[in-house]
Amino acid sequence: MQSFEHLHLHTERLSLRPLRADDAQALFDLFSDTEVVRYWGAPWARIDAAHEFIAQETAAMSGGKHIRLAIELNEGGQFIGVCNLFNIVAPSKRAEVGYCLARKAWRQGYISEALTALLGHGFGAMELNRIEADIDPRNEASAKSLERLGFTREGYLAERWIVNGASSDSVLYGQLRSRWMARP
């Protein structure tokens, strides 16, 4: 199993890199923002959650279980979010993609830019054949980001999750290596 602990990806405006201990405050700020996590669950209430998360993610990256990278601006090095490939099923060459961006960085094209690099790595170096996304249908910005990246809406699952005590639906999206590589 390959390790992802040294994976770094770069774009014109962004650097994607493994989480570090000094990301704890920025990570806590991200996951304690109720607006940012409204489709995921309860916001973090303690900074300890960030420290624990970083330790877990560092071990998972080292063990090749999944990829979770910090997204930071090249100019100034500001942490603005995270993106990940998880639920990697090597025999099927499949994984899921996830992402979370700080509110101050919304609507600036950063998620599309970060995911272009991450998906390129997934379909390229990792030789994945399929990458999936599972989003809340109310999250229109996320749907638009996926569609801009060529993902196809493939299904709707009613009341798939319980989020903050309430039933939540899911929309499933998929992207194939063949479609990704054929993009202009």
Side-chain angles (χ1 to χ4, degrees), residues 17-21 23 27 53-54 57-58 68-70 79 82:
R17 54 148 180 88
L19 292 170
R20 304 183 303 238
D23 291 325
L27 196 63
F53 186 82
I54 291 168
E57 294 304 305
T58 300
R68 185 173 316 265
L69 300 172
F79 178 105
V82 294

Side-chain angles (χ1 to χ4, degrees), residues 88-100:
I88 299 168
V89 182
S92 295
K93 296 186 174 192
R94 180 176 56 79
E96 293 183 53
V97 66
Y99 41 90
C100 187

Side-chain angles (χ1 to χ4, degrees), residues 116-135:
T116 297
L118 183 61
L119 296 170
H121 180 78
F123 288 126
M126 293 176 67
E127 299 181 346
L128 294 173
N129 184 58
R130 177 179 173 80
I131 298 177
E132 302 168 349
D134 170 358
I135 68 166

